[in-house]
Amino acid sequence: MSNSGPEIEQLIQLLARLPGLGPRSARRAVLHLIKKKDQLMIPLSAALDRAVAAVVICEVCGNVDTRSPCGICSDPRRAESGLLIVVEDVADLWALERAGVGAVRYHVLGGVLSPLDGVGPEDLSLDALVSRAPQFSEVVLAVNATVEGQTTAHYITDRLAGTGVKVSRLAHGVPVGGELDYLDEGTLSQALKARTAL
Amino acid sequence: MSNSGPEIEQLIQLLARLPGLGPRSARRAVLHLIKKKDQLMIPLSAALDRAVAAVVICEVCGNVDTRSPCGICSDPRRAESGLLIVVEDVADLWALERAGVGAVRYHVLGGVLSPLDGVGPEDLSLDALVSRAPQFSEVVLAVNATVEGQTTAHYITDRLAGTGVKVSRLAHGVPVGGELDYLDEGTLSQALKARTAL
């Protein structure tokens, strides 16, 4: 665009690459930033600088933190439950932490097996998982309930079979607060099979 | 959150204040930034620093640029058409520039009259508009077709009546590529009234 400087144009282009923002919303975001220069733009710039300097990937579990091993891996109380929860992505780890699942530890795979996208076992953090698993009493596979997620779960179960560690997966069923009418047949039949006594 | 450092948490909170991003999408954006640290996070941080240092508001028209008067106000070719387009916001100016409306100049009001929100004439860039207007042959009111926009248009027309400058507004009608079936009655009746001969 000719009507704003290259600094503004470049900021729009970079913001447009964030998930959830396109070119139009990136422009709106940049205008909002410029309008709130002191309250938002300068603090955001400083926060980004600090985060760039501080962020590291935990060498044990793959979590994102400002130290490695991360806060979860270095918290001794989290070893007591003996539960290791395997997730696809750091976002899933954060979601489980927000849900308050308790004093557990995590292992971030960094994706799922997907031959179509060229993602094989060597692209995921699987060797590290197999070597960590014997330290725990149970490995819970909290991968997404997609075809790729379930394929990955089967593969991990096979890989862990030799270690003797108990392997489980998250329950399928009716979401809390969900209405039966809106659920797919697969979920409903799984929920009926796994019904619990009252 | 306990599972990520304060630097990450603060970055999420600041990004969540951008229009179009909420807490959940801000978390996704931050994870995306961390994953693409070299390709996206560090360039974004540098671009924000540069924009913070460079951005100024044009003292003539209210546009956002890296110099004041802005590129539009200091371009002599834009004086020739004699058209001054009045917009509510810099985003509207950018939209008109993208549409390639030609070599015109702009005046950014900084909002619309809205007694309910406590926005009166003194909150908008109206005195500057009245003093600029006589330099132009025509003032085009390109305010939004909302109640507040139209109220503001009437107010500006009254204010400019003494200057002798011709005042016009954007045409109402069927959007190019739009389907009649999806248009409201107000637009349709305006489009019929303002029909043009073929």
Side-chain angles (χ1 to χ4, degrees), chain A residues 92-163:
Chain A
D92 302 327
L93 187 162
W94 289 6
L96 286 162
E97 280 293 294
R98 282 199 303 282
V101 289
V104 298
R105 288 214 168 131
Y106 297 93
H107 191 85
V108 179
L109 291 175
V112 277
L113 295 177
S114 176
L116 282 177
D117 299 323
V119 182
E122 65 285 356
D123 298 312
L124 306 180
S125 172
L126 284 169
D127 293 336
L129 172 62
V130 172
S131 63
R132 278 184 86 189
Q135 303 164 27
F136 296 88
S137 58
E138 183 173 348
V139 172
V140 184
L141 302 179
V143 289
N144 290 336
T146 56
V147 173
E148 288 88 359
Q150 297 310 303
T151 309
T152 311
H154 280 292
Y155 182 86
I156 293 175
T157 310
D158 287 347
R159 284 285 299 268
L160 291 178
T163 63

Side-chain angles (χ1 to χ4, degrees), chain B:
Chain B
M1 270 193 300
S2 61
N3 58 325
S4 53
E7 291 88 354
I8 299 172
E9 196 52 33
Q10 202 191 10
L11 187 58
I12 294 172
Q13 281 173 10
L14 286 167
L15 274 180
R17 287 167 55 192
L18 289 181
L21 286 178
R24 185 176 291 262
S25 44
R27 273 196 299 269
R28 278 180 58 214
V30 168
L31 276 176
H32 188 77
L33 280 173
I34 292 169
K35 276 183 202 162
K36 308 238 171 200
K37 192 169 170 183
D38 290 329
Q39 306 102 298
L40 189 54
M41 194 178 190
I42 292 173
L44 180 62
S45 175
L48 255 178
D49 287 345
R50 280 196 300 275
V52 164
V55 164
V56 287
I57 308 294
C58 173
E59 64 202 358
V60 179
C61 72
N63 186 18
V64 160
D65 203 338
T66 48
R67 55 189 168 143
S68 174
C70 70
I72 293 175
C73 286
S74 50
D75 181 355
R77 287 167 302 172
R78 286 182 177 259
E80 288 163 19
S81 73
L83 279 188
L84 179 67
I85 303 194
V86 178
V87 292
E88 290 180 24
D89 201 272
V90 178
D92 302 327
L93 187 162
W94 289 4
L96 286 162
E97 281 293 296
R98 282 200 303 281
V101 290
V104 299
R105 288 215 168 130
Y106 297 94
H107 191 85
V108 179
L109 290 175
V112 276
L113 295 177
S114 177
L116 282 178
D117 299 322
V119 181
E122 66 285 356
D123 299 312
L124 306 181
S125 171
L126 285 169
D127 292 335
L129 172 62
V130 172
S131 62
R132 278 185 86 191
Q135 302 165 28
F136 296 88
S137 58
E138 183 173 347
V139 172
V140 184
L141 302 179
V143 291
N144 290 334
T146 55
V147 173
E148 288 89 358
Q150 297 311 304
T151 309
T152 310
H154 280 293
Y155 182 86
I156 294 174
T157 310
D158 287 347
R159 284 285 297 268
L160 292 178
T163 64
V165 175
K166 185 179 167 192
V167 181
S168 57
R169 67 155 170 78
L170 293 184
H172 290 310
V174 182
V176 175
E179 297 185 38
L180 294 195
D181 197 18
Y182 290 94
L183 277 176
D184 62 296
E185 294 84 6
T187 305
L188 274 179
S189 71
Q190 288 273 358
L192 184 63
K193 270 188 216 158
R195 65 191 175 277
T196 52
L198 286 176

Side-chain angles (χ1 to χ4, degrees), chain A:
Chain A
M1 270 193 301
S2 62
N3 58 326
S4 52
E7 292 87 352
I8 298 172
E9 196 50 34
Q10 200 191 13
L11 187 57
I12 293 171
Q13 280 173 11
L14 286 167
L15 274 180
R17 287 167 56 191
L18 290 180
L21 284 179
R24 185 175 291 263
S25 44
R27 272 196 300 271
R28 278 181 58 214
V30 168
L31 277 176
H32 188 78
L33 281 173
I34 292 169
K35 276 184 201 160
K36 308 239 171 198
K37 191 169 171 181
D38 290 330
Q39 306 101 298
L40 188 55
M41 194 178 190
I42 293 172
L44 180 62
S45 176
L48 255 178
D49 287 343
R50 280 196 300 274
V52 164
V55 163
V56 288
I57 308 293
C58 173
E59 65 203 359
V60 179
C61 72
N63 186 17
V64 159
D65 204 339
T66 49
R67 55 186 166 143
S68 173
C70 71
I72 293 175
C73 287
S74 50
D75 181 354
R77 285 167 304 174
R78 285 182 177 257
E80 288 164 18
S81 73
L83 279 188
L84 179 67
I85 303 194
V86 178
V87 291
E88 292 180 23
D89 200 274
V90 178
D92 302 327
L93 187 162
W94 289 6
L96 286 162
E97 280 293 294
R98 282 199 303 282
V101 289
V104 298
R105 288 214 168 131
Y106 297 93
H107 191 85
V108 179
L109 291 175
V112 277
L113 295 177
S114 176
L116 282 177
D117 299 323
V119 182
E122 65 285 356
D123 298 312
L124 306 180
S125 172
L126 284 169
D127 293 336
L129 172 62
V130 172
S131 63
R132 278 184 86 189
Q135 303 164 27
F136 296 88
S137 58
E138 183 173 348
V139 172
V140 184
L141 302 179
V143 289
N144 290 336
T146 56
V147 173
E148 288 88 359
Q150 297 310 303
T151 309
T152 311
H154 280 292
Y155 182 86
I156 293 175
T157 310
D158 287 347
R159 284 285 299 268
L160 291 178
T163 63
V165 176
K166 186 179 167 193
V167 181
S168 57
R169 66 155 171 78
L170 293 184
H172 289 310
V174 182
V176 176
E179 295 185 40
L180 293 194
D181 197 17
Y182 290 93
L183 277 177
D184 63 294
E185 295 83 7
T187 305
L188 274 178
S189 71
Q190 287 274 356
L192 184 64
K193 272 189 213 155
R195 64 192 177 276
T196 52
L198 288 177

